[in-house]
Amino acid sequence: MPETGASPLPPTPPAHSPLFRAEQFVWLTARVLEQRLFAYHFLDGATDAVETALDAYRNEDGGYGHALEPDLRGPVSQPGHACRALHVLDAVERCGGQRVDRVCRYLTSVSTPDGALPAIDPGRRGYPAAPSIPIVEGAPSSLLATGPVVGLLHRNEVWHAWLFRATDFCWQAVESLEKSHPYEIEAAVAFLDSAPDRPRAEAAADRLGRLVREQGLAALDPDNLDAYPVSPGYGPDEHHFPHDYARTPRSLARTWFTDEEMSRSLDHLVGEQQEDGGWPIRGRQWAPGTALEARPMATIEALRTLRAYGRRIG
């Protein structure tokens, strides 16, 4: 057989298993980055291959652009792209070193005086963005943008001068939450799960768990979704479930839900796999290309969540 230079094929998961069906979906639809992430997580793929694919999105200012986060189009760096890049690096255990130092310098340059990140840098105009991410004058501080980034950096024991101010902002924002919505709560959990002050994080998470249940922000019965109103501004089917908040059993948000509620949530997640093998995105689909790019991400996250809870996927 002639040499092709390609790596040997990994073992194939059982036909018709969730993993097999998802693999076919990924090879058919995903960008190179998500193909390599899928291979890393489920097919013994190489870490370096993921980093090489991520490099294509990196800019000279240390940030990332080029629609790395599908809801932000265009080549320019934005905080949302940096968050996605850090998420990828964390997933392959490479979230550190000079690469992350450069990201922190970029984040410092776009942060507000209180150390927070804006949802979008209003100075970078002229490129499309999802309607749910409006450009606002003054670049207001955003827990949605800041919490996941700060959480990822703490999780990987990264320290940078900017991080001290950003951490203080996150504490203030999380502990003052009253009326909220699912994505903001998810951002708060991303911060609290890795915040260094564990007793303070546990206390804050306990309060947020009561808030989530009181405000009906988690659909606890997937068979009766009409009982759970969707938050204002969300898509008509954009419900959030226990597994969206507690993506692993180690999350502080896991204590918010009973074993039965979490089991129903995971059953629902299994059932969301579509005919083509991929998982759907629940947000408003504002452009055909963005939905196509986002679904492989959702598929990888769904499989990782199911595996974290011991569900058989392949």
Side-chain angles (χ1 to χ4, degrees):
M1 180 179 295
E3 290 289 336
T4 64
S7 301
L9 290 174
T12 302
H16 308 302
S17 69
L19 184 58
F20 176 84
R21 294 167 57 209
E23 182 181 353
Q24 303 309 301
F25 171 76
V26 166
W27 296 137
L28 281 170
T29 66
R31 303 180 298 189
V32 171
L33 176 59
E34 282 71 44
Q35 290 179 14
R36 292 182 175 180
L37 270 173
F38 183 92
Y40 171 84
H41 286 301
F42 306 109
L43 303 173
D44 296 322
T47 305
D48 288 348
V50 177
E51 284 199 279
T52 299
L54 182 62
D55 280 343
Y57 299 88
R58 191 171 64 186
N59 287 327
E60 291 297 323
D61 61 7
Y64 289 78
H66 310 280
L68 175 58
E69 165 52 54
D71 277 345
L72 295 167
R73 314 308 291 181
V76 298
S77 297
Q78 289 286 358
H81 297 314
C83 183
R84 176 67 64 181
L86 291 172
H87 182 79
V88 170
L89 293 170
D90 174 69
V92 299
E93 300 182 350
R94 292 282 179 89
C95 192
Q98 292 185 353
R99 180 194 301 268
V100 174
D101 286 341
R102 288 194 294 268
V103 176
C104 288
R105 287 198 294 271
Y106 160 73
L107 295 173
T108 302
S109 73
V110 298
S111 66
T112 60
D114 57 5
L117 298 172
I120 189 170
D121 181 356
R124 300 298 186 96
R125 300 179 182 278
Y127 298 101
S132 59
I133 315 176
I135 296 179
V136 179
E137 292 295 340
S141 304
S142 168
L143 178 61
L144 275 76
T146 314
V149 169
V150 174
L152 283 167
L153 294 175
H154 281 309
R155 172 186 169 93
N156 290 276
E157 300 182 348
V158 173
W159 283 103
H160 185 273
W162 163 77
L163 192 56
F164 290 96
R165 288 186 297 122
T167 299
D168 287 343
F169 165 81
C170 288
W171 279 124
Q172 187 278 329
V174 168
E175 292 176 337
S176 63
L177 283 179
E178 294 297 338
K179 182 67 176 176
S180 190
H181 58 93
Y183 288 122
E184 189 171 51
I185 296 294
E186 288 180 22
V189 171
F191 167 69
L192 293 174
D193 275 347
S194 299
D197 188 339
R198 300 314 298 155
R200 187 178 180 182
E202 290 167 6
D206 184 64
R207 188 183 74 84
L208 288 187
R210 293 194 300 272
L211 183 151
V212 165
R213 297 186 76 92
E214 290 166 1
Q215 297 183 11
L217 300 182
L220 303 178
D221 183 1
D223 294 328
N224 186 26
L225 292 179
D226 290 341
Y228 302 93
V230 175
S231 294
Y234 283 37
D237 300 316
E238 204 168 351
H239 291 92
H240 287 242
F241 302 89
H243 67 261
D244 291 314
Y245 298 105
R247 295 191 178 275
T248 76
R250 298 183 302 277
S251 173
L252 292 174
R254 175 62 185 87
T255 62
W256 301 351
F257 310 107
T258 67
D259 290 347
E260 182 180 359
E261 288 167 347
M262 184 58 71
S263 181
R264 284 200 299 263
S265 180
L266 295 171
D267 288 343
H268 180 75
L269 180 60
V270 171
E272 280 193 308
Q273 189 174 21
Q274 299 188 331
E275 292 264 341
D276 60 10
W279 266 262
I281 54 172
R282 300 192 208 112
R284 294 184 184 276
Q285 298 186 24
W286 63 282
T290 61
L292 186 66
E293 291 171 352
R295 284 192 64 209
M297 298 178 183
T299 297
I300 292 170
E301 289 305 307
L303 291 170
R304 293 185 69 195
T305 297
L306 291 170
R307 185 169 64 181
Y309 280 94
R311 292 297 184 100
R312 185 174 180 177
I313 59 174

